[in-house]
């Protein structure tokens, strides 16, 4: 197993583990709406960087099953 594959679950566990203390510290110093805007902006930038680091020759994603996604969204909301 490559090192990257082994490190991914560890990175996920660390990110989830640090989430609550960081949010408590951030909310103690910032307005909740400002904090959330910063959090979403940083996560969008991080996802963009990860997307750009992916190899260009990866296969195209399959068609999105919109009907299934809409049903899932409706059922999970109610």
């Amino acid at each position: 197993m490559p090192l990257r594959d082994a490190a991914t679950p560890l990175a996920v566990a660390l990110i989830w583990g640090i989430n609550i203390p960081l949010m408590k510290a951030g909310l103690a110093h910032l307005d909740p709406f400002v904090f959330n805007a910063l959090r979403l902006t940083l996560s969008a930038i991080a996802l963009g960087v990860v997307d750009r680091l992916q190899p260009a020759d990866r296969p195209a994603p399959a068609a999105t099953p919109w009907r299934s996604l809409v049903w899932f969204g409706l059922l999970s909301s109610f």
Side-chain angles (χ1 to χ4, degrees):
M1 178 180 342
L3 180 60
R4 186 177 83 183
D5 292 342
T8 301
L10 179 61
V12 170
L14 287 173
I15 289 169
W16 277 93
I18 330 180
N19 188 31
I20 292 176
L22 283 179
M23 287 192 64
K24 284 185 178 184
L27 288 172
H29 299 288
L30 292 172
D31 180 64
F33 292 112
V34 173
F35 181 78
N36 200 35
L38 289 172
R39 185 178 66 90
L40 292 175
T41 301
L42 289 174
S43 64
I45 291 169
L47 285 174
V49 168
V50 168
D51 182 55
R52 291 295 173 199
L53 292 176
Q54 296 295 317
D57 60 344
R58 65 183 170 187
T64 304
W66 289 107
R67 179 174 277 173
S68 298
L69 287 176
V70 169
W71 275 111
F72 177 76
L74 290 173
L75 291 175
S76 66
S77 297
F78 296 115

